[in-house]
Amino acid sequence: MNRITTSAVAVAAVLMLGLLGGCSTIDPDAPALHGDYSGDGFSGAVAVVRLPGDIPHVPESRGKAARWSSVEMSQVLFLDADCQRQLYSKLPSWAQAIAKEGGWGALAVAVGEGAFVSAFPGADVVRYVLGGLGYGAAAGANTGRYRQDGAEKAAQGYCVMLNAWEAKQRYGILTGLNFVLWYGDGHTSLPAPDNRGVLLPRTTDDPPTPFFIH
């Protein structure tokens, strides 16, 4: 592919990425790491679902919806932010650049139209743009962006789910709260904390998960 064609593809990629938008799921310095539990910086890779109360034919559940207060919200935001911090260090360098700049479109603008392809040859979106010219570059760019965003959401959401499960087992927190992974476009949001619900007791007396030293 000659320089003119490459430049044209780069410009097309930038334009399409600007239209497609999208922000990175992973922020290495999310606000919750600094005590800001307002909800800013939440990855949106999981949806928090509360165990309801008043389940039919379960009298023990009467009036016992799981609690979702500012305490639980701060705990979820912290676990989410810490997953973002840890996962960021494990991303490929080009993916770190995308996350740091705030998304595909922001990165394309930051590095300049002509430099995008040459600066980040490992980015899936570039390969999909180049390979997708035969059937539509927009479809190729869209596929590449979805693949990268989906991978970030999968890793982040699974990390939050595992850490929440571990925290439940070890510390008895977040009981009655479940975490559903979200891989699709856009991001989930946390519900506003309220004064309803109760902190449910742990449902297992199993010992904490042991640490294995290899």
Side-chain angles (χ1 to χ4, degrees):
M1 181 174 290
N2 59 39
R3 181 176 298 178
I4 295 176
T5 304
T6 301
S7 179
V9 170
V11 173
V14 171
L15 293 176
M16 285 181 291
L17 291 169
L19 293 173
L20 292 171
C23 296
S24 177
T25 298
I26 297 176
D27 177 1
D29 195 33
L33 294 175
H34 306 286
D36 179 355
Y37 304 121
S38 64
D40 291 340
F42 175 59
S43 71
V46 295
V48 179
V49 178
R50 302 164 65 174
L51 182 68
D54 304 315
I55 302 172
H57 311 296
V58 185
E60 297 85 358
S61 71
R62 188 180 300 275
K64 291 185 179 178
R67 188 177 75 177
W68 176 253
S69 68
S70 58
V71 171
E72 286 74 30
M73 183 170 177
S74 65
Q75 292 166 347
V76 169
L77 285 168
F78 177 80
L79 292 177
D80 178 78
D82 194 71
C83 276
Q84 293 184 58
R85 178 186 64 81
Q86 293 193 58
L87 289 173
Y88 176 81
S89 65
K90 298 170 176 61
L91 292 174
S93 58
W94 60 264
Q96 288 184 355
I98 291 171
K100 186 176 181 180
E101 293 296 339
W104 291 106
L107 177 64
V109 173
V111 302
E113 295 177 357
F116 183 80
V117 172
S118 60
F120 299 96
D124 274 340
V125 71
V126 175
R127 290 202 294 271
Y128 275 98
V129 168
L130 297 178
L133 291 177
Y135 64 89
N142 199 33
T143 301
R145 191 203 68 152
Y146 269 100
R147 179 173 174 178
Q148 175 62 24
D149 287 353
E152 286 193 14
K153 288 191 177 78
Q156 174 67 16
Y158 197 50
C159 178
V160 173
M161 184 180 72
L162 289 174
N163 274 354
W165 181 87
E166 189 77 18
K168 291 180 183 185
Q169 301 301 308
R170 292 182 179 276
Y171 311 122
I173 64 174
L174 303 176
T175 56
L177 298 177
N178 296 296
F179 300 84
V180 181
L181 307 185
W182 173 251
Y183 303 139
D185 197 17
H187 296 82
T188 66
S189 58
L190 291 175
D194 59 47
N195 295 321
R196 297 174 296 170
V198 297
L199 183 62
L200 301 177
R202 291 179 61 181
T203 57
T204 177
D205 293 324
D206 294 340
T209 304
F211 288 104
F212 295 96
I213 301 176
H214 298 282

